[in-house]
Amino acid sequence: MIDKELSGVIAIALLIVAFLVILIDVAIFIAWAFRKEAVDSGQAEPLFARTWSLVDVWFIGQAAIAITLIVTFTVMIGALLITGTIPFASSKSSSGATLVVLGVGLVVQNLMLGGLPLLNISKRYGVKLRDIGIRLLPTRRDLIIGIAAGTVLLVGSMLFEYGLAGLLNLAIGPAQTAKLTKLTENLTVDSMLKGGMSPAMFAVMFLGAGFLAPIGEEIFFRGFLYNSAKRRFGVAWGVAISAAVFALVHMGPIAVFVILFMGTGLAVMYEWSGSLWITITMHAFINSTQIAAAYLWPQLTK
């Protein structure tokens, strides 16, 4: 459970983020509208690229989030009316209402993260999906390389996390490090995994976060964001930008650095292989392994 003081801090932070997003949206619209007439008459070049623009990534990302929130809150209201309990508010995180809302949220979120970029790339840009490394099914090579590279990245991220915890203990002390760790757990799915899961919760998390989320996230962050950033700024900046955004949206002060490390590894592997199925396999291997470990050995997460 998140205490009231922390809930207030999170609410204020979300309001600030929402305000900044609206401010950026308005600025982009004004810039486009101010230049539109000159662009239409051929007197000026378009302010934003016609294809693979980071502005496209920005707005499609917002659309994915908005649709996910609308559907999820609708399901939450339905669950409240039917069961009389508020999902996620109960100490029983594996209640039926919570599992339904969580499952629907994961499905919709990753359908939007994967589907909207693919539609934009194929229909609006006219780019064949195999050109960005996505086919109907992965090959055996994709799976073998993905599992092997995922193992290396998982071990590397664990060592990185332990090293980061050690540095924080030295820099700010164990007490403050523990507070940051607790805050990270509250802002990420770690709070759902910590201390054990029911079989039903495990099934939802294993399928939703373990396998479905890697597909949607890899299509959006590597297939769409990375390709757009690379075309605008080059490979190095493409890796940095895609990894940074990937980390920031996962929130949590400690998780941001660990996921930044993972996002860098995934982007480098995508650039090297040209296959989204390899990074999807890596991502799925890492997520599913962590979820399975939390379920099978809950004492490790207490």
Side-chain angles (χ1 to χ4, degrees):
M1 295 291 289
I2 302 177
D3 60 44
K4 291 183 179 180
E5 182 179 354
L6 181 56
S7 297
V9 172
I10 294 173
I12 293 172
L14 290 175
L15 286 173
I16 293 173
V17 170
F19 174 76
L20 290 175
V21 168
I22 293 171
L23 199 62
I24 294 171
D25 286 344
V26 171
I28 290 174
F29 176 78
I30 292 173
W32 170 82
F34 182 78
R35 201 176 177 89
K36 185 178 184 302
E37 185 175 342
V39 171
D40 290 343
S41 63
Q43 297 176 0
E45 290 294 320
L47 187 61
F48 309 116
R50 297 188 186 278
T51 60
W52 298 108
S53 171
L54 288 170
V55 174
D56 291 343
V57 179
W58 173 255
F59 284 115
I60 287 176
Q62 288 182 68
I65 293 171
I67 293 170
T68 300
L69 289 175
I70 290 169
V71 173
T72 303
F73 279 118
T74 301
V75 175
M76 286 185 70
I77 293 171
L80 174 60
L81 294 175
I82 293 171
T83 66
T85 59
I86 302 175
F88 301 101
S90 170
S91 59
K92 296 180 179 180
S93 62
S94 59
S95 66
T98 296
L99 292 176
V100 169
V101 174
L102 179 62
V104 170
L106 285 169
V107 169
V108 174
Q109 172 186 293
N110 291 289
L111 281 175
M112 294 301 102
L113 283 178
L116 294 180
L118 290 183
L119 282 173
N120 187 73
I121 291 168
S122 61
K123 301 301 182 183
R124 183 161 170 257
Y125 295 171
V127 175
K128 294 179 180 179
L129 297 183
R130 66 171 177 267
D131 292 337
I132 64 166
I134 188 74
R135 297 175 300 277
L136 183 61
L137 293 172
T139 64
R140 173 189 266 184
R141 175 180 177 275
D142 292 332
L143 297 176
I144 292 173
I145 294 177
I147 291 172
T151 301
V152 173
L153 188 57
L154 175 60
V155 172
S157 65
M158 291 172 64
L159 293 175
F160 180 83
E161 186 172 6
Y162 288 137
L164 178 61
L167 288 175
L168 287 173
N169 278 325
L170 291 174
I172 61 177
Q176 294 301 318
T177 301
K179 289 181 180 179
L180 283 177
T181 301
K182 183 65 176 176
L183 177 60
T184 299
E185 290 172 358
N186 286 328
L187 292 174
T188 62
V189 297
D190 286 355
S191 59
M192 296 182 185
L193 304 181
K194 194 173 179 63
M197 293 175 280
S198 69
M201 174 62 82
F202 169 70
V204 170
M205 293 298 293
F206 193 73
L207 294 174
F211 288 95
L212 184 58
I215 297 174
E217 291 182 1
E218 288 307 308
I219 290 172
F220 184 86
F221 290 104
R222 255 59 66 181
F224 193 30
L225 172 57
Y226 172 72
N227 276 313
S228 297
K230 181 178 77 169
R231 282 164 171 78
R232 178 68 177 84
F233 300 109
V235 171
W237 276 107
V239 169
I241 291 170
S242 62
V245 176
F246 179 59
L248 289 172
V249 299
H250 283 80
M251 303 177 71
I254 295 178
V256 163
F257 294 100
V258 178
I259 297 176
L260 178 65
F261 176 86
M262 292 176 59
T264 300
L266 289 165
V268 169
M269 181 56 71
Y270 176 58
E271 173 63 26
W272 172 79
S273 68
S275 172
L276 272 176
W277 276 118
I278 287 179
T279 61
I280 288 170
T281 303
M282 291 172 64
H283 198 154
F285 176 81
I286 292 169
N287 283 13
S288 59
T289 298
Q290 292 176 326
I291 293 167
Y295 178 68
L296 295 172
W297 299 286
Q299 65 274 12
L300 298 178
T301 59
K302 287 182 179 179

